[in-house]
Amino acid sequence: MKTKRKQIHQERTQVTDRDAGGETGEGTAGEAVGDGGREPGGDGAEAGGSQTVKEMMAKKHAEELERVKRGVQQAVAVSITADMWTSLNMEAYLALTCHYINDNMQLCTSVLGVKHFPQSHTADNLTQVKRGMKDDWAITNKVRCLVTDAAPNMMAATRTLQIRHSICIAHKLNLIVKKSCDQIPELPSIRHKSRQIVSFFRSSTTAKEKLAQVQQQMGRPTLKLVNEVPTRWNSTYQMLSRLHDEREPVWVSLASPNRFNSTHS
């Protein structure tokens, strides 16, 4: 019994010594890790961890880049798609995607690049950037078809590059459905009113929170309203369908007497 008590006392003494060493910085494991994580002029372990993540990302990018390059270079022929899009910061980008069949008869798709496009969206500028990206990937003589939307500058650039051109089927389908919807007399008014309702709930934090609260009170899942996107024909259906499904909580939220008391954010 005395031996057991003596052992416990010795263990407590060792723990106390370690704690004291940790406070004074005398040979603690935590200090060793902290010093090892510091960089010259950095912020200690946090800076070291950030640097490690950057190195991991750079390594992963290099590995993935080499893998994609091998696949593209082994392909006998490729087709590419090009598309312009705008970021939330209103900056334009040109994306180029490559499609090919590998040796195992599998369809492969790889993004060749997303280039910042600050210059004017003329056919000449588009041609220059596309030609440069093709040269970078060494596929200039492999491209059999270029798929774009029906924008005149895209089509003119394709003619300059002397590549077979095909208009994107999804884009063409969107134009067909959009024109068909415009031919229905009642639909434009319904879409306009629906967009106003959806925009109200999406632009106001108060209205958004009120809708979620009413949905929970009704025992319904918390679902956000979906807005229509001009370039996505199915988004019109999704907007109307979601608004129809959530019509009861939407009505209750709009009928709330306090809905105009709070400012929109």
Side-chain angles (χ1 to χ4, degrees):
M1 189 67 178
K2 290 182 179 180
T3 304
K4 183 65 174 178
R5 288 179 180 176
K6 184 177 181 181
Q7 181 180 357
I8 294 175
H9 176 72
Q10 290 175 347
E11 291 176 353
R12 288 179 178 176
T13 303
Q14 291 173 358
V15 170
T16 304
D17 291 342
R18 285 199 300 267
D19 291 342
E23 293 174 356
T24 58
E26 296 176 358
T28 64
E31 183 182 3
V33 173
D35 287 340
R38 289 194 183 100
E39 291 180 325
D43 295 328
E46 183 177 352
S50 176
Q51 185 64 26
T52 302
V53 172
K54 290 180 180 179
E55 292 174 353
M56 291 172 60
M57 293 294 293
K59 181 180 178 181
K60 183 64 176 177
H61 175 266
E63 293 174 353
E64 198 66 15
L65 183 62
E66 287 301 318
R67 183 188 67 81
V68 173
K69 278 186 175 180
R70 286 196 300 269
V72 172
Q73 291 172 358
Q74 291 174 2
V76 177
V78 303
S79 65
I80 55 177
T81 57
D83 188 27
M84 293 290 301
W85 59 278
T86 305
S87 70
L88 295 176
N89 295 327
M90 302 306 295
E91 294 179 335
Y93 290 85
L94 174 64
L96 209 65
T97 308
C98 178
H99 315 272
Y100 59 93
I101 304 294
N102 64 11
D103 295 337
N104 297 324
M105 298 304 294
Q106 296 175 326
L107 176 62
C108 301
T109 299
S110 302
V111 177
L112 302 185
V114 180
K115 294 285 187 180
H116 184 215
F117 206 94
Q119 58 266 48
S120 178
H121 299 177
T122 63
D124 291 339
N125 289 336
L126 288 170
T127 300
Q128 182 178 357
V129 175
K130 291 177 183 179
R131 181 179 287 124
M133 294 176 73
K134 288 195 305 173
D135 292 341
D136 292 341
W137 285 85
I139 59 173
T140 300
N141 298 325
K142 295 183 179 182
V143 179
R144 299 294 181 264
C145 181
L146 174 58
V147 181
T148 70
D149 57 23
N153 55 347
M154 283 288 193
M155 299 177 68
T158 307
R159 287 194 296 269
T160 303
L161 292 170
Q162 297 181 344
I163 303 175
R164 177 187 173 188
H165 181 248
S166 177
I167 296 178
C168 175
I169 296 176
H171 179 75
K172 186 179 292 187
L173 179 61
N174 179 74
L175 295 177
I176 293 173
V177 174
K178 186 176 180 180
K179 289 182 179 179
S180 300
C181 291
D182 292 339
Q183 301 302 315
I184 304 175
E186 299 84 2
L187 191 55
S189 176
I190 295 175
R191 290 169 59 190
H192 176 69
K193 293 178 181 178
S194 298
R195 285 195 299 268
Q196 286 185 317
I197 295 174
V198 174
S199 297
F200 170 74
F201 281 99
R202 292 180 68 91
S203 62
S204 169
T205 302
T206 304
K208 192 183 305 180
E209 293 175 350
K210 180 63 178 180
L211 178 59
Q213 179 184 2
V214 173
Q215 289 172 330
Q216 292 175 359
Q217 291 174 348
M218 291 183 172
R220 305 169 63 97
T222 303
L223 299 175
K224 296 180 180 180
L225 299 183
V226 180
N227 211 346
E228 185 181 39
V229 181
T231 56
R232 299 284 188 271
W233 66 269
N234 53 342
S235 67
T236 302
Y237 167 77
Q238 293 170 349
M239 176 185 69
L240 297 176
S241 177
R242 177 62 58 84
L243 198 56
H244 178 267
D245 293 341
E246 300 300 316
R247 61 189 182 279
E248 292 184 6
V250 167
W251 289 342
V252 173
S253 300
L254 291 175
S256 175
N258 298 323
R259 74 182 182 93
F260 292 115
N261 292 343
S262 301
T263 57
H264 294 185
S265 58

